[in-house]
Amino acid sequence: MEYQATIGLEIHIELKTRTKMFCSCKNDPDEKHPNINICPICTAQPGTLPVINKEAIRKTIKSGLALNCQIASHSFFERKNYFYPDLPKGYQISQYSTPLCAI
Ligand SMILES: [Zn+2]
């Protein structure tokens, strides 16, 4: 039996935005103290909903254009539920079926 390797890449980018992707907490990857830049939204407290960061969307589209990507005219985020020890909220907000930028 022969197998054909299929290799997928998951590529992440860290945008230099003033606030986080889904709340107004300061985006400071150099913060040395734990639990400083957090709020009920980014800790997924019951009753909270994420709000998209327009600056991040603008920079994502700008990056996509620089990489010659197709920019979607319509896109949305999905909630991917799974257990992971360092993910106490139990889900990740992701783009699966309609990414903003694609090749
Ligand atoms: Zn927050």
Side-chain angles (χ1 to χ4, degrees):
M1 180 179 232
E2 294 210 12
Y3 294 94
Q4 181 178 0
T6 302
I7 300 167
L9 299 176
E10 181 176 319
I11 300 168
H12 294 247
I13 185 170
E14 186 175 304
L15 296 171
K16 191 174 183 181
T17 56
R18 191 179 54 78
T19 59
K20 293 182 182 181
M21 184 66 200
F22 295 108
C23 68
S24 59
C25 289
K26 186 177 177 187
N27 177 25
D28 182 5
D30 299 322
E31 173 60 56
K32 301 288 184 247
H33 300 95
N35 302 324
I36 297 294
N37 296 319
I38 63 170
C39 73
I41 294 172
C42 55
T43 56
Q45 299 302 307
T48 61
L49 289 173
V51 177
I52 202 160
N53 181 335
K54 286 183 183 178
E55 180 190 13
I57 298 301
R58 188 178 55 77
K59 287 184 174 179
T60 299
I61 291 172
K62 205 170 175 181
S63 300
L65 290 171
L67 296 170
N68 202 26
C69 293
Q70 298 282 328
I71 308 301
S73 60
H74 175 79
S75 182
F76 61 89
F77 288 84
E78 295 158 309
R79 188 176 281 196
K80 189 168 97 180
N81 295 286
Y82 63 98
F83 172 77
Y84 199 72
D86 71 348
L87 187 66
K89 60 186 175 184
Y91 66 85
Q92 179 184 52
I93 299 172
S94 182
Q95 289 202 299
Y96 181 71
S97 60
T98 59
L100 276 169
C101 306
I103 294 178

